[in-house]
Amino acid sequence: MKPILFNFSDPELEKFIIDMGQPKFRAKQLREWLNRGAPDFASMKNIPESLRTELDCIAQTLPVKIVKKLESSDGETTKFLLELHDGEQIECVLMRTTYGNSVCVSSQAGCAMGCRFCASTLLGLKRNLTPNEIYSQILIAQWELRSDRISDKPIRPNGDANNGDVSHIVIMGTGEPLQNTENVIGFIERANREMGIGWRRITLSTCGIVDGIDRLIEWNRPINLAISLHAPTDELRSQIMPINNRYKLSDVLDAAWRFTDNHNRQLMIEYILLGKRNENGETVLYNATPEHAEKLSELLHGKNCMVNLIPWNAVDERDFASLSGNAVHRFQDILIKNGIHTRIRRERGTDIGSACGQLRLNNAKNK
Ligand code: SAH
């Protein structure tokens, strides 16, 4: 296995370069390229070509390699399938928006949570990602944005807030971040320190691991917290999210309010709207009836939160059905009537299988 230079400390990198018979300053040049996310040695233009070729034979730049890169037809979303040194694959997604550039990162290879609607968990958990492996996903996105600039691709959309760098991070890719809490915290600290991404521009999404939320409270940084709720009662939630057998809804929400109250932050609630097919082949509401909307309103009444309604991205292996736009609006109208802040999450990159572990799953199926 080739050594991964990004994982070297400065003294280790210097020793490596000197052992190759090269002057010390090359280590500094290399480090600069690595910190910018150079995915290969060929991009390192101020390093002589002969050395670049030699390095390519004996070493790897980042802990992740791009296996596939897909771009949505509107040019706003780029999805990467990445391979780790042990052959595991993960996904990350770059979303260019009017308010900035947001990267959705994975925290684990696979997932152990077993949520019934999700593709990421179908092959189980392979392993936790290291802080460097999570951070590299941001670097890959940053490098891509740099390519946009070099190629004169219009930075889209041209919002004033969008200066062409990664500005927001959402930890909503494959995996449960609060099953890998210390590495995720290490990653966030680094993104804040080295890339200058503010705490308030970082969102961690969890299926509701109370111990992990308590750890975040102790860590005490004002990041945004998102809870994947998806059902307003324990009975229904336990049917689609096995984690609910361990941590009950009220305990999860109590912990979440404790976290957000500390920093006066709004809690994000994620709610996928699911349908099921009946024996006549018609789609019936699963967690999206008017009664569910009323129950959800009761749970959240008077609290500082935003309900993100998420249209379900169909996964072949799962027997749910997506709902029509009208059904989503009817559900939302009840929340609005009850004074609950809510919005419908815009689907991005559905034409490139950008939803939740689909790319990784399809690649594994085709192997
Ligand atoms: N494990 C964390 C983060 C990863 S999932 C969590 O559960 O929050 C990120 C979000 O995508 C979660 O809200 C998850 O429930 C949702 N999701 C999973 N599969 C989906 C699908 N097929 N369509 C839409 N959203 C999905």
Side-chain angles (χ1 to χ4, degrees), residues 272-287:
I272 306 178
L273 292 162
L274 297 166
K276 274 248 174 190
R277 289 211 199 288
N278 66 14
E279 42 306 345
N280 304 326
E282 299 151 347
T283 298
V284 293
L285 303 174
Y286 180 77
N287 65 348

Side-chain angles (χ1 to χ4, degrees), residues 113 176-182 185 204 206-220 225 227 243 246-248 251-256 258-259:
M113 295 296 99
E176 170 47 50
L178 296 185
Q179 280 222 310
N180 187 19
T181 315
E182 296 314 315
I185 286 180
L204 182 151
T206 175
C207 62
I209 311 245
V210 172
D211 298 349
I213 299 173
D214 284 336
R215 171 72 182 106
L216 294 181
I217 293 171
E218 178 191 86
W219 178 50
N220 200 22
L225 183 65
I227 301 288
I243 192 66
R246 174 114 178 261
Y247 301 107
K248 294 287 165 239
D251 296 335
V252 173
L253 283 174
D254 280 351
R258 267 186 276 128
F259 177 86

Side-chain angles (χ1 to χ4, degrees), residues 16-31:
F16 180 82
I17 281 295
I18 290 168
D19 287 351
M20 284 179 80
Q22 293 290 330
K24 208 164 103 176
F25 74 91
R26 294 275 178 231
K28 204 159 166 261
Q29 288 177 321
L30 253 174
R31 174 65 70 198

Side-chain angles (χ1 to χ4, degrees), residues 81 89-91 109-110 120 126 357-364:
L81 181 68
Q89 295 191 335
I90 55 168
E91 298 178 18
S120 295
K126 302 299 180 191
Q358 285 175 355
L359 194 59
R360 173 174 173 271
L361 181 68
N362 291 340
N363 220 46

